[in-house]
Amino acid sequence: MNWIKLAVAAGLVGLSVPQAFAEDTMGTMTMMKSGQVTAIMPDGHMGTMMPDAKTSAEMMKMAKPIKHCMMMMTDAKGKTYMIDTSTKKAQAECEKMAM
């Protein structure tokens, strides 16, 4: 359960996510702006915001840097999963996808 909270916190601070997905094709990947916060819900919907300085400072106290490429996937029922990218093979695939 704690790893889920850490993943969400990391996602809020630095996760670069696709803006849109077509049914069979990938959408365009964009980088987050400095200070932007992205939230990802278990059902796959996302939201972004640009918090004020005070809120941003409070969020940074909870934040941890992302150390490697991260991937998420939504199943046929709409539930979102974080893919384990801890192996070298998974890292290579993740980085290839993000380029």
Side-chain angles (χ1 to χ4, degrees), residues 50-66:
M50 293 294 289
D52 59 37
K54 181 180 176 188
T55 305
S56 183
E58 289 173 7
M59 287 180 169
M60 280 304 266
K61 291 177 186 175
M62 299 183 297
K64 294 187 186 327
I66 296 174

Side-chain angles (χ1 to χ4, degrees), residues 3-21 29-30 32 36-49 59 66 70-75 78-83:
W3 70 269
I4 292 173
K5 290 178 185 176
L6 290 173
V8 170
L12 290 174
V13 176
L15 184 60
S16 179
V17 294
Q19 295 296 316
F21 280 98
M29 295 285 287
T30 60
M32 293 175 64
Q36 180 178 342
V37 177
T38 301
I40 304 167
M41 295 299 290
D43 66 359
H45 79 268
M46 297 176 271
T48 61
M49 69 180 270
M59 287 180 169
I66 296 174
M70 297 172 68
M71 295 191 318
M72 296 196 179
M73 179 178 191
T74 305
D75 68 5
K79 188 168 182 180
T80 303
Y81 296 85
M82 190 166 93
I83 299 170

